[in-house]
Amino acid sequence: MIKVLKFGGSSLADAEHFRKAAQIVRSDPANRYVVASAPGKRFPEDIKVTDLLLECYRLARAKKPIDEPFGQIENRFREIIKDLGLNLSLEAEFATIRLVIKNRAGRDYVASRGEYLNSMILAEYLGYSFLDAEDSIFFTEEGVLDLSRTDESLEVLLGEAGNAVIPGFYGSMPNGTVRTFSRGGSDITGSIVARAAKADLYENWTDVSGMLMADPRVVKDPKPIPFITYRELRELSYMGASVMHEEAIFPVRDAGIPINIRNTNCPEAPGTMIVPSAEAAAAPEYIITGIAGKVGFSAIYVEKALMNGQLGFCRRLLQILEDNGVSFEHLPSGIDTMSVVVETAALEPHKENIVASINRKIEPDNLHILDNLAMLAVVGRGMVRAEGTAFRVFKALAEAKVNVRMIDQGSSELNIIVGIDAADYSVALDAIYREFVK
Ligand code: ASP
C-alpha cells in the first residue's frame, strides 16, 4: 500500500501545524510521499508566503527594495525551524533567492520559492528525502504539463528515494526555467505524484473536513459529503463549490486513484472520498450529492418562427459569440426559441456588437438579454433513474416562491440546472437543500 499526502498552506503555516502534519505522516508506513505547499495564513489577516513572494517580484520589477517583504518571509521560515528545534539553516538559500529576485528573476521562479523552502524543512523534520519538483515535473514548450515525461522520470526518482517530500506548485520548462501551475496548484502536484507512485490513495490534507453538501454561508450546518464521484465533483466545482484545484482530478482520474480530502486539525474525521465511479462509492444516503450555484449570468434569448427547421441556426448564433471571444455556459433550447447563458462579465464589453450581429445575421423575431441570473446545479449520482427528483426540485422552489427562469438537465442525468433571479439565490439553495436533506 502506498499513499501520497499533500498538505495545503494552512496545514503547514507554522510549527504547530508541522507537528500535526508530521504526526499524520508517521501514523502509517504507507505514507511514503508528501507534497507540501508554502506556509499559508495563520490567522485571517495574515499574508501567505506566496503572496509575499509575489510582492517581492513586483517591487524588484519596479526597481524598489524588497527587504521588507523578503524579511517577513525569512522570519516565517526561521521561526518554524527554531520552533521545531531543527538543526537546519536556510540562510544560504535565503541569500541566493534574495539575490536572484533582485536581479529580476522570472515571476514563476519567485512564486515557487515558498514551496521549495517549506519542503526542505518538512523533509528534514520527517527524515525524508527532498525531491525537487524542478527535476521531476516537466512542462512542454507550450507551458502545459508534460504528463508522460513527468510520469516516466518521477516514477524512477520516487522509487529510488523510498520516501520523499516534493514541493508542490511548480516544475520546469524544457529550457530548465521554473514554471508554476495556477494558484492553488500544489493540489495538482499531489495528483501527479500519486499517479507516478502508483499510489492506492491520494490524501489531500486541508483545513476543512471534506466537502459539504451546500455552501455553509448560505445553508445552515450542511451535511458533509462522504463519497463523491469525479464527475459529480466536476459538476459541483464548475458551479463554484471548491475544495481543491479543478485540474487536480485529471492525473489521478485516468489512473483510477481515489482522493481523500482530510482535515489536518481534525484527523479523526473521515473527510470526503472522491472516487472514479459510483460503484466505488458507498450507496448515497441522499438522492442528491450536493448543490452549488453562482450568480453573475446573463441569458441571450432568441426567438424565431420555424427556427428548428433551419439548418445551421444554432451554429450561426454560437459563431457570433465565438467571434467576440465569449464562451457560453449553457444552451437550453425550445422549439422556436434558444437561450445562450453566458457570464455577464464576459458578455458586457461585447454586448452591443453581439446584439448588432445577431440582428443582422439571424434576423430574429425577438431578441432580448436577461441579466442578473443565478444558476443552481443540483448534482447527484443518486438522481439517475430516481423518479420524481425534478418534481421535488421544482416543488421546493415553488413553495419558496422562487420563479424558475430556465431549466437545463445535463444529458448525464447527473444534474439539474436551474436559472433563477440572482436575488432569489440564497432562498432557492436553502429550499432545495431542505427538500432533500431532512
Ligand atoms: N502556494 C501556492 C498558492 O498560494 C500554491 C498552493 O498552495 O497550492 O497558490
Side-chain angles (χ1 to χ4, degrees), residues 189-301:
T189 309
S191 181
I192 294 168
V193 172
R195 180 189 166 104
K198 303 207 163 33
D200 300 278
L201 184 63
Y202 167 24
E203 286 181 353
N204 188 305
W205 290 84
T206 175
D207 54 5
V208 289
S209 299
M211 286 184 79
L212 300 170
M213 289 183 72
D215 184 343
R217 287 166 302 185
V218 179
V219 171
K220 193 165 171 278
D221 292 333
K223 300 224 183 245
I225 302 178
F227 283 92
I228 185 167
T229 63
Y230 291 143
R231 280 185 63 187
E232 291 173 307
L233 179 69
R234 274 290 290 156
E235 307 264 358
L236 284 175
S237 46
Y238 172 77
M239 270 299 181
S242 81
V243 66
M244 198 178 55
H245 195 297
E246 266 195 291
E247 290 162 42
I249 299 178
F250 300 106
V252 284
R253 189 182 65 181
D254 300 342
I257 302 167
I259 308 172
N260 191 192
I261 309 283
R262 300 285 294 269
N263 188 350
T264 308
N265 301 312
C266 183
E268 55 287 356
T272 298
M273 270 293 220
I274 307 168
V275 293
S277 64
E279 292 76 52
E285 189 177 343
Y286 304 102
I287 287 177
I288 63 168
T289 300
I291 323 167
K294 274 202 237 177
V295 295
F297 290 103
S298 297
I300 305 170
Y301 175 89

Side-chain angles (χ1 to χ4, degrees), residues 68-81:
E68 208 283 314
F70 199 79
Q72 283 191 47
I73 297 168
E74 287 175 327
N75 285 339
R76 285 202 63 177
F77 287 117
R78 282 188 191 121
E79 211 176 291
I80 296 173
I81 295 172

Side-chain angles (χ1 to χ4, degrees), residues 37-38 48 50 115 169 183-187:
S37 279
K48 288 178 168 193
T50 309
E115 271 69 14
F169 192 35
R183 294 298 303 264
S186 300
D187 288 333

